[in-house]
Amino acid sequence: MATRLQFENNCEVGVFSKLTNAYCLVAIGGSENFYSAFESELADVIPIVKTSLGGTRIIGRLCAGNKNGLLVPHTTTDQELQHLRNSLPDQVVVQRIEERLSALGNCIACNDHVALAHTDLDKETEEIIADVLGVEVFRQTIAGNILVGSYCALSNRGGIVHPHTSVEDLDELSTLLQVPLVAGTVNRGSEVIGAGMTVNDWTAFCGSDTTATELSVIDSIFKLREAQPSSIVDEMRKSLIDTYV
Amino acid sequence: MMSALMDQDSSGMFKVQQTIGSVVCCKCGVPMPPNAANMCVNCLRSEFDITEGLQKSIQIFYCPECGCYLQPPKTWIKAQWESRDLLSFCIKRLKNLNKVRLKNAEFVWTEPHSKRIKVKLTVQAEVLNGAVLEQSYPVEYTVRDNLCESCSRFQANPDQWVASVQLRQHVSHRRSFFYLEQLILRHDAASRAVRIKQVHQGIDFFFGNKSHADSFVEFLSKVVPIEYRQDKQLVSHDVKSSLYNYKYTYSVKICPICREDLICLPSKVSSSLGNLGPLVVCTKVSDRITLLDPRTLRCAFLDASQYWRSGFRSALTSRQLVKYSVFYVEPPVGEATVGGQKYALSYVLIARESDIGKMLTVQTHLGHILKTGDQALGYDIYGANVNDDEMDEYRLHGRLPEAILIKKCYDKERERKKGKPRAFTTKKLPMEMDESRGGRGVDPGKMENEYEEFLRDLEENPELRFNISLYKNKNYQESDETASMTDGEGAPTVPIEELLAELELSEEGEGDGEDDMDE
């Protein structure tokens, strides 16, 4: 089920947090509201780590990761790196990469199996991504934008892309990523989906401006509603009843 | 699968065909093609009102007398109900309309006597990161009646005029005024006159504006030789702003020399014109007077200022023309073309109709048109009683001819056409007759005769018709005329090609016109 929240009155949740199946990173805010919201959803399941990257709070856009690893830019300080290594589970490899395009969150969109990369990314970086994250890397554009990380939100079960993506592009991406994709918006018509929301296999967090329609689209494409156990029983019951006499 | 969608563009690169997908509106969930706001049009409209802050109702003033609308502070614009002028006027009156872009404007029907005008405006404005929203909204105008300044002044005193032109010619006939009337009609010079009044020996024109009177006087100076003076009379005076209201009067005198007049030039004038013979005939009056010496076939032109310097009067006018019978025309001695007119000098043997026994041999300039057996009109100088000192002097010295022929007479030919209507008609100016002056008022019978003579004049002289509009007479039948025309020379008539058809503004006429245009 998707949750609506705000970071210090800003609806761009994907900028200040990073959610994967194995861990969750949140930025350090003045009040604890943001952190509490994540905690209430994910407390016992995965670790929630408060951090900064390179002294900034825009951690969602600077790092890219999945359950296998986490890539941080060269601007990350040693203390932050060590803090991350300490807090995250052991199977998650934290790697700092030297890359000219340091906003890795904007340049890379990934789930646990496949990643889309910025077309101008270094060859080395691509190899590191494939290695650390354990994914297949595809250089792609979304609706003509090269910042793939900003304009799509990806999980293992589905993805949302920029609303102006054409039907052919959508088919192509869907084939590459092997997940169903939909062109949609978040935060009341905002096209920057990667910055507006963050998602993993069973939950999603969106900005509070997100309308109910957008929320329903998110729920359906990421299959978040089906994560509830009760819905499965209902479906079974429908098939059991034949006729009333 | 992909190759079917690819096509080669001009640079040789493969370009994939892009089909726009559809997203759901973020507010209402209806599927729609993506736009800059990613909201469907209805949601956008409900959210952003671009007509906010625009004027939706306004008051305008209308003058019911002249049908004008007030554009403050002082201009009154004439416009018809639901016309394009009215639409542009209404839009101009709205403030703040420059904040949005106006796409379309049209009238919504309202009852004419409801005193409301409704205009539906379609405007476009940009909202929310580049999305352009179009919205229509109605504007209601309340029409209030308010007489405009000129109408209220007119209401207060309908005879109000600001400038008047008093046109006078001190001769005993009104021929010049008939001709002038036709000229004025043709050039529409008196269209702005408030009133036109006919008085003894002249016409008065009243105008509402000094500039109208000015332009009328200028027009007159171009067509007849005139002398005028301008006077003004103070009507009212605003002390505080030093505004003076005057009534202007132009006193215009037309030169008393008319066509076909016989003039005995004073010696000074004669010598200044190169010793032009003392007796001259006036052949044409436009803005200059053309004087023809019948003995030498020499012409002189006098314009208004030159004439008024000497101010001589004619000795004999067309009233004193008498009929002569022509018995014999000798071959012409000399020929000349003067001002487009051909003249031939020759000796003729004539006798007065009333005194056939007395034969005279005179020199005439009409040798080119006179033939034996014709009738001609001319002046009997021998028997005339002229009050002219110059002429008396010349008579003493015996240097005056006995008679001078002026024009050919077509009375015999006209006998045939008697009673039949003419091929053409003329229009008249809306003149008031001066009844008030008792015995000196115009005699209607005399007017009829004079007008008939004027029309005959028009028929005979094509150059007179030059500046005049003649209209086809609906009652005229051609068939009789052509039959009689075949035997010999008929009376001169106006050729049909010169006549204009009258403009008929009837309902059927307009309908036909429309059909023609559609074709």
Side-chain angles (χ1 to χ4, degrees):
Chain A
M1 207 49 216
T3 322
R4 285 191 268 213
L5 68 161
Q6 275 184 325
F7 178 81
E8 289 182 358
N9 224 18
N10 187 317
C11 297
E12 305 290 328
V13 175
V15 174
F16 300 104
S17 62
K18 189 93 196 154
L19 181 62
T20 68
N21 288 330
Y23 56 87
C24 175
L25 303 175
V26 294
I28 302 167
S31 72
E32 291 292 307
N33 293 339
F34 196 59
Y35 178 74
S36 318
F38 276 93
E39 236 193 334
S40 61
E41 280 290 318
L42 309 165
D44 298 327
V45 191
I46 52 175
I48 306 168
V49 183
K50 276 203 274 196
T51 180
S52 64
L53 285 178
T56 65
R57 299 194 293 181
I58 50 168
I59 59 172
R61 301 292 93 217
L62 289 180
C63 66
N66 59 12
K67 72 173 190 329
N68 299 323
L70 177 68
L71 299 170
V72 291
H74 61 90
T75 52
T76 317
T77 61
D78 294 333
Q79 288 95 310
E80 287 161 354
L81 196 56
Q82 196 56 44
H83 171 68
L84 281 169
R85 286 220 175 98
N86 290 342
S87 321
L88 292 178
D90 291 331
Q91 60 270 42
V92 179
V93 180
V94 183
Q95 174 88 359
R96 180 165 58 185
I97 54 177
E98 301 294 319
E99 162 64 58
R100 184 178 61 96
L101 306 168
S102 56
L104 300 174
N106 285 337
C107 298
I108 304 166
C110 65
N111 61 13
D112 292 334
H113 311 291
V114 73
L116 295 174
H118 190 294
T119 49
D120 296 339
L121 228 49
D122 290 345
K123 201 80 180 84
E124 286 172 28
T125 313
E126 196 183 322
E127 283 166 16
I128 296 173
I129 296 169
D131 197 25
V132 170
L133 300 182
V135 293
E136 213 183 323
V137 183
F138 298 104
R139 285 174 195 255
Q140 268 291 339
T141 63
I142 296 182
N145 294 104
I146 45 179
L147 293 176
V148 288
S150 317
Y151 290 105
C152 89
L154 203 50
S155 86
N156 289 324
R157 310 178 75 179
I160 302 187
V161 290
H162 189 291
H164 291 181
T165 313
S166 65
V167 173
E168 289 81 16
D169 272 0
L170 213 56
D171 288 340
E172 192 180 338
L173 285 168
S174 186
T175 325
L176 280 177
L177 301 173
Q178 293 295 310
V179 291
L181 292 179
V182 76
T185 65
V186 80
N187 281 341
R188 207 164 234 278
S190 166
E191 298 157 343
V192 196
I193 297 140
M197 63 178 286
T198 179
V199 63
N200 72 4
D201 284 350
W202 65 87
T203 181
F205 295 92
C206 320
S208 54
D209 274 353
T210 311
T211 60
T213 320
E214 288 167 337
L215 220 52
S216 71
V217 169
I218 290 168
D219 280 345
S220 70
I221 195 65
F222 291 114
K223 301 190 183 49
L224 300 174
R225 244 174 269 128
E226 285 151 22
Q228 308 266 21
S230 55
S231 56
I232 303 169
V233 176
D234 286 334
E235 277 194 50
M236 272 178 60
R237 227 178 251 145
K238 271 188 225 162
S239 54
L240 284 173
I241 297 173
D242 299 321
T243 46
Y244 286 110
V245 179
Chain B
M1 175 186 65
M2 283 303 169
S3 55
L5 301 166
M6 286 188 199
D7 32 53
Q8 215 159 0
D9 77 350
S10 52
S11 65
M13 291 198 8
F14 281 114
K15 234 179 144 217
V16 185
Q17 189 189 16
Q18 307 282 355
T19 330
I20 312 281
S22 84
V23 292
V24 285
C25 161
C26 66
K27 266 190 88 174
C28 59
V30 59
M32 55 160 225
N35 61 28
N38 292 313
M39 279 200 257
C40 67
V41 183
N42 295 327
C43 292
L44 260 183
R45 278 225 186 104
S46 66
E47 197 132 334
F48 300 100
D49 181 16
I50 53 177
T51 66
E52 202 179 352
L54 297 177
Q55 250 182 330
K56 304 252 173 58
S57 74
I58 194 173
Q59 209 176 62
I60 57 175
F61 292 98
Y62 169 72
C63 172
E65 289 290 314
C66 53
C68 298
Y69 293 87
L70 174 66
Q71 183 149 37
K74 273 206 202 134
T75 343
W76 289 84
I77 297 181
K78 196 169 172 79
Q80 295 273 22
W81 179 255
E82 288 202 355
S83 66
R84 231 160 36 127
D85 298 327
L86 188 58
L87 193 59
S88 51
F89 166 75
C90 288
I91 294 172
K92 253 187 260 178
R93 295 287 291 120
L94 290 176
K95 293 180 273 196
N96 297 339
L97 213 52
N98 48 2
K99 285 196 204 139
V100 295
R101 214 173 36 206
L102 184 63
K103 214 72 226 294
N104 191 24
E106 58 185 14
F107 281 111
V108 176
W109 186 82
T110 49
E111 197 83 41
H113 62 73
S114 66
K115 296 284 174 206
R116 300 279 184 279
I117 299 176
K118 280 216 178 92
V119 176
K120 190 164 88 159
L121 293 175
T122 312
V123 291
Q124 267 184 359
E126 194 186 289
V127 296
L128 190 66
N129 53 295
V132 175
L133 192 60
E134 191 176 286
Q135 194 173 340
S136 303
Y137 69 103
V139 182
E140 187 174 315
Y141 296 86
T142 311
V143 179
R144 277 187 57 180
D145 281 342
N146 187 352
L147 273 185
C148 65
E149 267 189 59
S150 46
C151 287
S152 49
R153 238 184 280 138
F154 183 73
Q155 281 274 351
N157 181 8
D159 288 332
Q160 185 87 339
W161 50 267
V162 175
S164 82
V165 177
Q166 292 170 339
L167 193 61
R168 301 283 182 271
Q169 190 187 33
H170 299 296
V171 284
S172 53
H173 58 85
R174 291 193 72 95
R175 256 179 33 208
S176 324
F177 290 110
F178 293 142
Y179 180 61
L180 205 57
E181 184 185 351
Q182 295 303 319
L183 268 184
I184 290 172
L185 277 170
R186 165 78 166 223
H187 291 96
D188 240 354
S191 55
R192 293 182 292 191
V194 171
R195 249 175 79 212
I196 304 175
K197 191 164 153 184
Q198 195 180 51
V199 294
H200 172 67
Q201 284 192 346
I203 309 178
D204 281 348
F205 295 84
F206 297 95
F207 295 91
N209 204 320
K210 181 170 181 286
S211 55
H212 298 162
D214 256 337
S215 56
F216 183 68
V217 172
E218 256 207 62
F219 164 75
L220 285 176
S221 67
K222 283 199 208 98
V223 293
V224 280
I226 58 168
E227 188 188 47
Y228 72 94
R229 55 172 283 168
Q230 184 201 347
D231 298 293
K232 59 188 185 200
Q233 178 190 16
L234 185 65
V235 172
S236 66
H237 166 212
D238 181 355
V239 184
K240 292 223 178 109
S241 44
S242 271
L243 284 177
Y244 298 84
N245 280 340
Y246 290 105
K247 271 189 171 176
Y248 302 91
T249 307
Y250 291 83
S251 190
V252 181
K253 270 198 305 203
I254 304 182
C255 117
I257 310 286
C258 303
R259 279 184 67 244
E260 300 165 2
D261 278 359
L262 187 72
I263 304 155
C264 188
L265 289 175
S267 47
K268 273 187 91 172
V269 180
S270 174
S271 44
S272 76
L273 291 174
N275 261 332
L276 207 57
L279 285 182
V280 286
V281 176
C282 175
T283 48
K284 186 170 162 180
V285 174
S286 63
D287 57 335
R288 299 187 299 182
I289 310 169
T290 309
L291 302 169
L292 173 73
D293 183 349
R295 296 244 289 256
T296 58
L297 288 188
R298 256 182 49 201
C299 236
F301 300 95
L302 281 180
D303 66 7
S305 42
Q306 280 177 305
Y307 169 77
W308 291 107
R309 243 175 268 151
S310 44
F312 52 84
R313 295 197 63 117
S314 11
L316 290 169
T317 64
S318 50
R319 289 263 162 114
Q320 280 107 9
L321 281 171
V322 289
K323 267 199 213 153
Y324 286 89
S325 297
V326 177
F327 291 113
Y328 182 64
V329 180
E330 282 184 27
V333 202
E335 278 181 0
T337 309
V338 169
Q341 269 278 75
K342 263 181 62 175
Y343 295 110
L345 196 58
S346 56
Y347 284 92
V348 289
L349 190 64
I350 55 173
R352 256 185 88 150
E353 289 276 313
S354 54
D355 195 8
I356 289 283
K358 183 155 178 235
M359 301 276 212
L360 310 161
T361 306
V362 288
Q363 213 180 26
T364 175
H365 61 282
L366 299 173
H368 59 297
I369 44 169
L370 287 178
K371 286 183 211 54
T372 312
D374 274 348
Q375 280 186 323
L377 290 167
Y379 294 112
D380 182 7
I381 299 171
Y382 178 72
N385 189 3
V386 184
N387 184 12
D388 193 329
D389 296 330
E390 299 274 348
M391 256 183 101
D392 287 340
E393 246 200 73
Y394 283 119
R395 208 195 287 261
L396 263 148
H397 294 246
R399 290 203 297 184
L400 289 180
E402 299 209 335
I404 292 191
L405 295 178
I406 299 294
K407 60 181 180 181
K408 183 167 160 179
C409 179
Y410 294 98
D411 277 349
K412 268 197 245 153
E413 286 87 352
R414 282 191 211 280
E415 283 289 315
R416 270 180 257 167
K417 278 207 307 175
K418 212 173 190 176
K420 296 207 188 100
R422 284 203 161 76
F424 63 91
T425 53
T426 52
K427 283 197 176 156
K428 299 248 182 142
L429 271 180
M431 279 198 266
E432 287 172 18
M433 296 297 164
D434 183 16
E435 315 282 313
S436 58
R437 290 176 106 213
R440 293 189 84 198
V442 275
D443 179 11
K446 207 165 76 160
M447 283 275 283
E448 286 276 324
N449 287 339
E450 281 191 353
Y451 203 71
E452 178 65 30
E453 277 182 30
F454 168 65
L455 290 178
R456 280 194 203 155
D457 235 1
L458 279 184
E459 281 182 341
E460 288 168 18
N461 295 294
E463 59 177 47
L464 259 192
R465 296 197 291 265
F466 176 64
N467 247 341
I468 291 180
S469 311
L470 297 169
Y471 298 92
K472 281 200 194 128
N473 187 356
K474 285 170 274 199
N475 305 328
Y476 172 67
Q477 281 131 357
E478 253 203 59
S479 49
D480 308 329
E481 266 314 300
T482 46
S484 58
M485 279 295 231
T486 49
D487 46 339
E489 193 190 293
T493 50
V494 181
I496 289 282
E497 304 87 58
E498 286 190 23
L499 301 180
L500 303 170
E502 281 226 32
L503 184 64
E504 274 198 34
L505 289 173
S506 65
E507 295 257 341
E508 308 131 16
E510 280 181 343
D512 289 339
E514 277 184 62
D515 289 341
D516 289 338
M517 278 172 57
D518 287 342
E519 284 163 337

